[in-house]
Amino acid sequence: MMPASNMVASLIHTITAHSGDITCLSFTHDRLATGSGDKTLRLWSLDDFSEHQSSPLLGHSYNIHCCVFSPFGSILATCSTDGKLILWDVKAYEITAILQHPSKNSIRVCRFSPDSSHIVSGSDDNTICMWEVATKKLIRSFSGHEESVVALAYSPDNNYLVSGSTYGDLHVWDACFGHGRYLFLEVEGHDLGVTCCEFSPTYGSARNPQSGIANFLLATSGKDNLIKLWIFTAPVGSADVVLKCHNTLPGHSDTVTSCAFNPSGTILASGSLDKTVRLWDPVRGIPLFTIDAHNRFVSCCAFSLDGRLLATGSIDRTVKIWKLTDTSHIMEGLMGYEAPEEDVKPTSSANPVCAMENWTVDDVVAWLATFGLEQYQDRFRENIIDGSELLALTSSDLETILGVAPLGHRNKILRNREVSKMQMVPKSEAKEIKLPDLSSHDELLCPITREIMKDPVIAADGYTYDRSAIQAWLESGKDRSPMTNTVLDHRSLTPNRTLKMVIERFLEQMK
């Protein structure tokens, strides 16, 4: 299991083949499916991200809203504004069935049951349809929503179904015994509308054999800019279902369009109209880090089945593939690093290992991001708030000088300052340690100079370089990647802040 607090995301590939907005993503064991507003579904090998010979799949006449592989990996389902739910055979990528709601309205979302025996779909007709995969027959419909059904999730035990609508409500249904009426209604799921809901694949999956009560963790996203975590409990076979909000994760500044758990349930990813992807620890309910690499709204995100890759899609018409790397082999043994305690909210695994009064302005700015207050970074930088200035700040200073108006945000900064003061170790107290061999940590070295990077940035080819080295490369007139020799799509450079923090921690021990 990858420790979430020691994770680094590195961009390894960008897909630019679609001519429309990216709307959906789905992984199987060896392939990634990408759906788009250009009406096509494309398939990519996970070995080298080459496009499959059967791609693109052409079956829809309007935007594709959702694509999903069955848990057993033998079927791919897509749904669209054209009102069709299409099932594709994965071996030949041929259409095996075209299903429609009786109303023939647009279908917004589809999900397979965990045992692959059924598939459900949500539509603009405000209903949910359940189909038997083997016979391709509609076996039941669920009615109760007042607006379009855009979010669906099966419980890991196959017994329950949760749905969300653009009205903002959440319904729980009996997916096993066929009760037509909802078992539970949460009217105030998300203000202005629900956009996505997903069950954790691991949390509470082992039912208490004595009580027979199902206990699961559900994540939902909405137009209120929030991720909400819900505790779902239900005695099996009973209608006494309870969905209780357990935690709310603020941080996005616009509608959260999608959310996804990694296979181990230790990481939750969310995409937003604020152009960012955020990663969270869902068990402790804390932010891990933010990926800011898309030029426009992020519409979808998905983890690979082994949890090592994260795909993000955007209306900038690109899909970005991120490799998630466990950096604990670098961090272990470094002075000032300790794995975060479960009951204490850590400021970050990447804080500078020196006394707070020795922090630079960059250290302070990076520290703000560790607890979700990136919106104040520019103000701190403009006012040259370094560690010593941070220690002197009062609540009044935060409000009048730095523009931190909400009392909750001011208190959050002051609380985290006290926690960080206790966690930091002055350089004078650092013990002599044995440094790791650089040759075994190639991720710290610039591919061009083969030296430790000072300011790592991500180029258009997805590789990370030291800023000065890649800028010199580009300014020399070269338009191809130093690594792949392919033409660079653009000359923009994106800071790899997470890797920079890891490098700074490593270098601190060399002083």
Side-chain angles (χ1 to χ4, degrees), residues 26-99:
S26 184
F27 280 96
T28 187
H29 69 284
D30 63 348
R31 207 151 294 156
L32 170 66
T34 60
S36 170
D38 64 12
K39 311 173 192 177
T40 70
L41 188 87
R42 293 181 180 270
L43 305 162
W44 311 89
S45 167
L46 297 188
D47 291 332
D48 56 6
F49 298 104
S50 60
E51 191 163 8
H52 191 270
Q53 60 183 6
S54 300
S55 180
L57 303 185
L58 305 175
H60 291 288
S61 54
Y62 288 94
N63 294 2
I64 296 175
H65 292 299
C66 184
C67 66
V68 59
F69 283 101
S70 64
F72 295 167
S74 58
I75 304 170
L76 175 62
T78 58
C79 60
S80 164
T81 302
D82 61 16
K84 297 177 182 178
L85 171 63
I86 298 181
L87 302 185
W88 307 79
D89 173 73
V90 168
K91 290 184 178 179
Y93 285 105
E94 296 177 348
I95 296 176
T96 61
I98 299 178
L99 311 175

Side-chain angles (χ1 to χ4, degrees), residues 201-220:
T202 56
Y203 180 95
S205 57
R207 182 178 295 109
N208 187 321
Q210 296 180 341
S211 66
I213 296 178
N215 185 35
F216 302 110
L217 180 68
L218 176 76
T220 63

Side-chain angles (χ1 to χ4, degrees), residues 109 111 120 128 145 149-155 159-165 169-175 184 186 194 196-199 216-220 230 232 241-243:
V109 61
R111 289 290 185 270
V120 290
I128 303 158
H145 285 288
V149 180
V150 294
L152 292 169
Y154 263 99
S155 62
N159 291 326
Y160 303 97
L161 180 68
V162 174
S163 58
S165 82
D169 54 334
L170 295 165
H171 286 64
V172 180
W173 311 88
D174 184 341
F184 185 87
E186 174 56 58
V194 176
C196 186
C197 59
E198 294 289 340
F199 274 102
F216 302 110
L217 180 68
L218 176 76
T220 63
W230 308 77
F232 176 100
V241 175
V242 176
L243 189 62

Side-chain angles (χ1 to χ4, degrees), residues 24-25 38 44-45 56 58 111 115 163 177 271 273 300 337 343 394 412 502 507:
C24 52
L25 304 164
D38 64 12
W44 311 89
S45 167
L58 305 175
R111 289 290 185 270
D115 63 4
S163 58
F177 299 102
L273 297 189
C300 47
Y337 173 76
D343 58 346
T394 65
K412 192 172 186 180
V502 172
L507 292 176

